[in-house]
Amino acid sequence: MAKVKRIDHVAILVDDLEKHLSFWRDALGLEMTQIVDVPAEKSAVAFLPVGGSEIELVKPTTDDSGLARQLEKRGPGMHHICLEVDDIDGMFARLKEKGIQLLSDAPKMGVGGRKYAFIHPKSANGVLVELYELPQ
Amino acid sequence: MAKVKRIDHVAILVDDLEKHLSFWRDALGLEMTQIVDVPAEKSAVAFLPVGGSEIELVKPTTDDSGLARQLEKRGPGMHHICLEVDDIDGMFARLKEKGIQLLSDAPKMGVGGRKYAFIHPKSANGVLVELYELPQ
């Protein structure tokens, strides 16, 4: 049976990477390994690994994305939690069967063969949950 | 120098434990190890370990707590992220020195000798961050 393995990352929506890195990196002392531009999601992401998981700071790079609108409406804050699963197809099928709302009809293929899917916050008590499976 | 070791837990504010366990436990398949009543915080907490971290579902048990007011105002959703640190006194001093706002004047002593402190969301781009150190 498909299983959740661990918390992969917690994504935090920010309006300015440098400003917020001054807290997470400079004050808390987390290492910031890279900033990656993700044109497909109209955002730039700063990665801060911490004990096998990561904090990700996500900054919209345009004004017209869902992320940008959410930032405009709610301000910076926690955006989603990502859980690594061992079998995303199996998990996806089980969630559908149990009536959980998903944001796509099937898992999507991401960068580096990583398959992922999002669960609608309506089905996860207000939390946007991402699931992903590393390529074997 | 004081360091963050890992994400200890992500706390999710809920209005009904059983209703939300139907997602986290029954659909996602996480194990729910215990539900603990925490009168000091006027809440009940369900613990769901996942890969060295935990998801915690926090339900206010009265109508007059800060948690209950937040639930009333914003609805269920992510509440805070807790990071384990190796030296909370050292971390607390460094954060203060850097002008980070904390919710107490010093780390507090919790259940089982666990010392903890909260960082004000104003200083952590909208995220309520808990720090804690396990007793040696």
Side-chain angles (χ1 to χ4, degrees):
Chain A
M1 200 177 81
K3 280 185 73 168
V4 176
K5 296 171 76 173
R6 62 185 185 95
I7 296 176
D8 180 69
H9 64 263
V10 176
I12 297 166
L13 191 56
V14 302
D15 51 357
D16 183 314
L17 286 178
E18 269 311 313
K19 185 173 86 183
H20 295 303
L21 282 168
S22 74
F23 170 68
W24 299 95
R25 180 191 57 198
D26 306 337
L28 272 186
L30 297 183
E31 185 194 4
M32 197 276 287
T33 52
Q34 54 178 346
I35 293 180
V36 177
D37 196 37
V38 189
E41 292 174 23
K42 299 177 178 179
S43 61
V45 183
F47 293 86
L48 300 114
V50 52
S53 300
E54 282 185 323
I55 305 284
E56 294 186 7
L57 305 183
V58 181
K59 180 198 170 304
T61 45
T62 68
D63 291 335
D64 62 348
S65 65
L67 286 174
R69 281 188 295 273
Q70 185 172 337
L71 183 62
E72 172 78 27
K73 196 173 151 194
R74 297 182 151 214
M78 285 206 265
H79 185 261
H80 70 265
I81 176 169
C82 175
L83 304 172
E84 186 190 348
V85 297
D86 58 0
D87 167 15
I88 197 165
D89 294 315
M91 179 65 80
F92 198 95
R94 186 168 83 218
L95 293 174
K96 266 184 118 166
E97 191 188 297
K98 289 188 179 281
I100 302 298
Q101 261 187 274
L102 294 133
L103 295 187
S104 57
D105 294 330
K108 293 183 177 181
M109 187 62 78
V111 181
R114 170 181 156 151
K115 289 170 89 172
Y116 68 98
F118 279 92
I119 297 168
H120 197 294
K122 275 187 194 166
S123 285
N125 54 281
V127 181
L128 178 60
V129 177
E130 180 182 6
L131 303 173
Y132 95 104
E133 179 191 336
L134 279 180
Q136 301 304 314
Chain B
M1 200 176 80
K3 279 185 75 168
V4 177
K5 295 171 77 174
R6 62 185 184 94
I7 296 176
D8 180 69
H9 64 262
V10 175
I12 297 166
L13 191 57
V14 302
D15 51 358
D16 183 314
L17 286 178
E18 269 311 314
K19 186 174 83 183
H20 295 304
L21 281 168
S22 74
F23 170 67
W24 298 95
R25 179 191 58 199
D26 307 336
L28 272 186
L30 297 183
E31 186 194 4
M32 198 275 287
T33 53
Q34 54 178 349
I35 293 179
V36 177
D37 196 38
V38 189
E41 293 174 22
K42 299 177 178 177
S43 61
V45 183
F47 294 87
L48 301 114
V50 51
S53 300
E54 282 185 322
I55 303 285
E56 294 186 8
L57 305 184
V58 181
K59 181 198 170 303
T61 45
T62 69
D63 290 335
D64 63 348
S65 66
L67 285 173
R69 282 189 295 272
Q70 185 173 336
L71 183 63
E72 173 78 28
K73 197 173 151 193
R74 297 185 149 211
M78 285 206 265
H79 185 259
H80 70 264
I81 175 170
C82 175
L83 304 172
E84 186 190 348
V85 297
D86 57 359
D87 168 14
I88 197 166
D89 295 315
M91 179 64 81
F92 198 94
R94 186 167 85 219
L95 293 174
K96 266 184 121 166
E97 192 188 296
K98 289 189 180 279
I100 301 298
Q101 261 187 273
L102 294 134
L103 295 188
S104 57
D105 294 331
K108 293 184 176 180
M109 186 62 77
V111 181
R114 170 181 155 151
K115 288 170 89 174
Y116 68 97
F118 279 93
I119 298 168
H120 197 295
K122 276 187 192 166
S123 285
N125 54 281
V127 181
L128 179 61
V129 178
E130 180 181 6
L131 302 173
Y132 95 104
E133 178 189 336
L134 277 181
Q136 301 302 314

